[in-house]
Amino acid sequence: MSIKVLAEKCIACEVCIPACPYGAISIEGEVAVIGDECTLCGSCVEVCATEAIMIIDEREAKGDLSSYRGVWIFAEQRRGQVSSVAYELLGEGRKLADKLGQPLAAVLLGNNVQEAAQQLIYYGADEVYLADDPVLEDFHDDSYAQVLTELINEYKPNIVLTGATAIGRSFIPKVAVKLHTGLTADCTQLEINPESKLLEQTRPAFGGNIMATILCPYNRPQMATVRHKVMKQAVCDKSRKGKIITKEIDAGKLTLRTRLIELVEEITDTVNLTEADIIVSGGRGLGKPENFKLIEDLAKVLGGAVGASRPTVDAGWIPYSHQVGQTGKTVCPKLYIACGISGAIQHLAGMQSSDVIVAINTDPEAPIFNVATYGIVGDLFDIVPALTQRFKEVLG
Amino acid sequence: MKIIVCIKQVPATTQVKINPETNTLVREGVESIINPYDAYAIEEGVRLRERCGGTVTVLTMGPPQAETALREAISLGADEAVLLSDRAFAGSDTWATSYTLAQGIKKIGDFDLIVCGKQAIDGDTAQVGPGIAEFLDIPFVAYIRKIEEIDDSLLRVERLMDEGYEVIESKLPALITVVKEINEPRLPSLRGKLNAKKAEITSWNLKDLGVTEDSVGLPASPTKVVKIFTPPPRGSGETLTGSTPEIVDKLVAQLKQDRVV
């Protein structure tokens, strides 16, 4: 694959220069020249009025891609409990499978998880590939990657989706490398192209400042991790029937190079940021660590989690596990309430895809108001306790 | 102990702006920095060397300008630096990047531990670390917030998970990716700055790595970016005004109407 500028067609109009998201184009001697930063994204091809820029793709599919069929979702579980992200994947996977006219399957690895397998059928899986063995009780990159890779090699699915969770993002890249196929991280939108039938995987990059649509044209399966809380959960239907296909595990054959010594749960009712539908976050505007109490009170009334901006974490007001933003967590709740947070671009990167954003800040120029659904220019020390009180009355 | 730290040079995204007319990222004059997560990886590597002895080698793949990031890593305490640079590496996705870095590591030779940042702030994929581990066939543990113990053959770490943390033991050699909580990176020392200035940066191209052209860069990348666009603006929000009780009433009514509470 390569990019070419046809010198005889190029009129050095420079329209391609600002169109390049990577700043790779310059004009040298009245002709556009494409530098090493080019990723062949095609932005310049689209804007070029004289059709002087061409992308040449000589790659070809390896093997018979049509033998790969079915949409698979990895059903993450912790201590036998299927994570809610698996139901979101089933919801999204069902749409994709129907568009392709192919079956939807779930892959479940764990120990004593037969009941959970049945549950996945209720939520839309036509088939469940079940690997049930004590060796799979705890998550380990080595064992999970090996078992999933074996299943994929054996049954050849067309698409494999995983939650973009701590577990999913840890072991799936190893599976993609083993299979020599593409993997797109943290997708927020998935579509089947009506003509090519390829999976169009759209994801945020540069902290959400740009979106990129990515294809995996020549390798199978097409693999993606999917951001938690973006896709709609499938609906449970206890009359649904499906097939459970059991994968025998020979524990002796698995390479296991890590060992779980201890799991320390830190989730109090106010920390579980990735699962929360509502997050109340505090920033420097709180003035001092004790004032996080105001944030906690509001979060508690709403049944939400407590988030924090980077400066408050760096100052030691609150643990790192609460940090939302570029070097913290990316969250996508239904409601995000930012209190005393100015909205530095790094913070916005972690929360701007929330459904509804409420911003409370004394500075009307604060960038947080640019992404806020509802902006309140005012003193959080008045507004937040009043809001807590009011929700107490309303929500009982 | 031989430690390798993989880093990436990224645009300092705080300064990335979108040109409202062309809807593209304004990259002119955007400064390049060491990926923030990688700064924690460098610091952890240097701390381990201070604890156990040995060397810290920083490794990156990128255009010749990426040398700046490697010199900065030396100013922060790294001993040696290797740059993998070749036109043939351009357009690498995470598969091809992991492969190329793994080849660089094989050429460096002996190592006990590879440390990477959790993810880069431009691509945000978090896929290169595990990818390298897979290519090298060594154990991998992500999101490390603390190295509890390390000796010649065993590592005990705390891995940050969604619901808490796990204490994990791993055989060595291994690859770990680190999160911000692991340490507070130091500032470059005067001596470090001098070292950085005079350091010889090893640079390897395709031929040096002894791999074929179609095993790296775009030809080896299974994924293809077909479109880049600015996310639709969130739409202008509504400013709620009035006395505190009025504002609170309005907000609660709106949130109920939006069915988010």
Side-chain angles (χ1 to χ4, degrees):
Chain A
M1 207 164 153
S2 58
I3 189 159
K4 216 168 117 182
V5 179
L6 305 171
E8 67 278 12
K9 284 194 176 175
C10 179
I11 54 168
C13 69
E14 298 188 3
V15 74
C16 52
I17 294 176
C20 176
Y22 300 96
I25 310 178
S26 57
I27 303 285
E28 285 170 28
E30 301 297 295
V31 175
V33 174
I34 294 164
D36 286 359
E37 296 85 358
C38 174
T39 67
L40 300 182
C41 73
S43 299
C44 54
V45 177
E46 252 172 58
V47 298
C48 179
T50 61
E51 295 179 353
I53 309 176
M54 276 173 61
I55 290 181
I56 304 149
D57 192 346
E58 303 108 349
R59 289 184 297 178
E60 278 176 20
K62 294 188 188 98
D64 177 19
L65 299 186
S66 65
S67 66
Y68 288 81
R69 279 181 57 83
V71 177
W72 280 20
I73 68 108
F74 175 76
E76 184 175 325
Q77 57 82 23
R78 295 290 262 173
R79 285 165 297 285
Q81 280 285 352
V82 173
S83 147
S84 62
V85 75
Y87 301 125
E88 295 165 18
L89 294 175
L90 282 172
E92 187 64 17
R94 170 50 61 201
K95 280 193 250 165
L96 302 175
D98 288 351
K99 276 184 197 157
L100 289 164
Q102 297 183 359
L104 172 66
V107 181
L108 179 63
L109 313 185
N111 185 27
N112 289 325
V113 287
Q114 284 89 350
E115 242 173 75
Q118 189 55 49
Q119 194 77 3
L120 293 167
I121 291 172
Y122 295 156
Y123 279 88
D126 301 314
E127 291 158 349
V128 177
Y129 293 91
L130 173 66
D132 201 331
D133 193 282
V135 76
L136 298 172
E137 166 127 27
D138 300 316
F139 164 71
H140 284 284
D141 295 88
D142 276 342
S143 51
Y144 273 50
Q146 281 167 75
V147 172
L148 183 57
T149 305
E150 277 174 26
L151 279 166
I152 291 171
N153 277 330
E154 205 172 329
Y155 296 98
K156 298 194 181 328
N158 181 11
I159 292 172
V160 177
L161 307 177
T162 310
T165 57
I167 287 179
R169 295 186 80 171
S170 178
F171 89 102
I172 285 289
K174 291 168 66 80
V175 176
V177 163
K178 281 176 197 281
L179 297 165
H180 193 174
T181 193
L183 172 63
T184 307
D186 205 20
C187 295
T188 53
Q189 203 191 326
L190 297 169
E191 283 294 336
I192 300 291
N193 182 293
E195 279 148 39
S196 65
K197 304 289 176 196
L198 287 174
L199 179 66
E200 295 178 336
Q201 308 158 63
T202 299
R203 66 178 304 262
F206 288 92
N209 283 319
I210 63 168
M211 305 292 288
T213 303
I214 291 165
L215 299 180
C216 177
Y218 309 115
N219 305 63
R220 290 293 178 276
Q222 305 167 80
M223 294 178 59
T225 62
V226 180
R227 188 175 284 189
H228 197 2
K229 297 271 162 200
V230 175
M231 307 298 180
K232 246 191 156 148
Q233 279 197 17
V235 181
C236 180
D237 173 0
K238 295 216 162 163
S239 69
R240 275 192 56 92
K241 299 264 183 294
K243 204 162 83 183
I244 296 179
I245 299 150
T246 312
K247 158 105 180 146
E248 295 304 328
I249 297 297
D250 182 351
K253 279 196 180 153
L254 293 177
T255 312
L256 275 177
R257 296 171 293 195
T258 55
R259 204 156 67 92
L260 175 66
I261 306 296
E262 186 188 2
L263 167 69
V264 183
E265 298 214 22
E266 284 186 315
I267 299 305
T268 62
D269 20 325
T270 56
V271 192
N272 199 348
L273 282 179
T274 43
E275 289 279 333
D277 282 329
I278 297 177
I279 294 173
V280 187
S281 267
R284 231 180 327 205
L286 288 170
K288 53 182 179 182
E290 298 78 53
N291 290 334
F292 257 103
K293 177 89 172 54
L294 297 174
I295 305 295
E296 280 159 24
D297 289 346
L298 179 54
K300 205 167 262 175
V301 174
L302 292 169
V306 172
S309 69
R310 178 178 174 156
T312 62
V313 172
D314 286 354
W317 295 2
I318 188 162
Y320 171 61
S321 47
H322 292 266
Q323 187 185 319
V324 172
Q326 198 168 71
T327 49
K329 284 181 175 141
T330 300
V331 297
C332 196
K334 287 198 185 105
L335 173 61
Y336 189 91
I337 305 181
C339 310
I341 293 177
S342 64
I345 193 161
Q346 294 92 334
H347 189 76
L348 302 184
M351 46 64 78
Q352 61 189 350
S353 51
S354 307
D355 289 351
V356 172
I357 296 170
V358 175
I360 304 166
N361 203 298
T362 45
D363 175 10
E365 301 298 321
I368 190 80
F369 288 118
N370 297 333
V371 300
T373 322
Y374 304 111
I376 298 166
V377 180
D379 189 347
L380 74 92
F381 295 100
D382 290 335
I383 313 269
V384 174
L387 208 49
T388 307
Q389 188 53 42
R390 188 79 173 78
F391 275 123
K392 250 184 210 159
E393 294 157 17
V394 179
L395 304 171
Chain B
M1 174 155 292
K2 284 203 73 172
I3 301 153
I4 296 174
V5 179
C6 298
I7 67 169
K8 184 180 186 186
Q9 192 179 42
V10 297
T13 46
T14 40
Q15 293 160 33
V16 169
K17 290 203 174 71
I18 293 166
N19 179 334
E21 278 167 30
T22 57
N23 252 358
T24 53
L25 290 179
V26 181
R27 302 274 296 223
E28 265 168 58
V30 174
E31 189 198 343
S32 287
I33 55 165
I34 292 178
N35 174 44
Y37 278 108
D38 301 347
Y40 304 109
I42 295 168
E43 175 66 26
E44 201 58 24
V46 172
R47 287 187 189 191
L48 281 174
R49 183 199 59 207
E50 287 166 353
R51 224 159 94 190
C52 318
T55 55
V56 176
T57 305
V58 274
L59 172 69
T60 194
M61 179 184 96
Q65 305 87 282
E67 199 189 300
T68 320
L70 292 173
R71 288 198 188 275
E72 195 183 334
I74 289 176
S75 78
L76 294 167
D79 302 287
E80 287 157 14
V82 178
L83 170 67
L84 309 180
S85 194
D86 196 300
R87 180 71 182 97
F89 301 154
S92 292
D93 72 355
T94 58
W95 195 97
T97 304
S98 321
Y99 175 78
T100 310
L101 287 167
Q103 300 314 307
I105 290 165
K106 281 182 184 165
K107 194 171 162 67
I108 291 171
D110 238 17
F111 64 88
D112 300 291
L113 183 68
I114 302 171
V115 190
C116 303
K118 179 188 138 197
Q119 66 194 56
I121 58 163
D122 52 356
D124 284 328
T125 71
Q127 288 173 187
V128 171
I132 296 170
E134 186 58 39
F135 278 116
L136 296 173
D137 196 18
I138 56 171
F140 166 69
V141 198
Y143 330 123
I144 303 308
R145 61 170 219 173
K146 190 178 178 191
I147 296 181
E148 286 188 352
E149 275 177 56
I150 185 163
D151 62 29
D152 293 342
S153 58
L154 207 68
L155 174 74
R156 187 202 273 256
V157 290
E158 290 179 13
R159 163 164 75 184
L160 188 66
M161 299 297 275
D162 290 333
E163 71 274 51
Y165 70 91
E166 292 177 344
V167 180
I168 303 276
E169 262 181 18
S170 171
K171 292 182 179 158
L172 289 178
L175 188 148
I176 59 172
T177 65
V178 300
V179 297
K180 176 186 160 185
E181 199 177 0
I182 195 163
N183 58 44
E184 226 173 280
R186 70 195 70 187
L187 293 169
S189 64
L190 193 59
R191 191 196 168 95
K193 281 184 181 169
L194 284 170
N195 288 345
K197 231 179 203 169
K198 55 178 202 243
E200 290 245 0
I201 309 283
T202 307
S203 183
W204 290 333
N205 60 20
L206 183 75
K207 242 175 100 188
D208 296 323
L209 292 184
V211 294
T212 57
E213 202 160 336
D214 59 1
S215 64
V216 296
L218 262 171
S221 298
T223 61
K224 180 178 166 186
V225 179
V226 289
K227 195 168 125 196
I228 286 187
F229 57 102
T230 322
R234 286 192 61 93
S236 53
E238 197 180 320
T239 306
L240 307 180
T241 50
S243 66
T244 298
E246 283 165 8
I247 289 174
V248 165
D249 277 348
K250 281 183 204 169
L251 182 62
V252 172
Q254 282 290 0
L255 295 179
K256 287 187 92 176
Q257 199 185 319
D258 295 343
R259 295 170 177 276
V260 289
V261 290

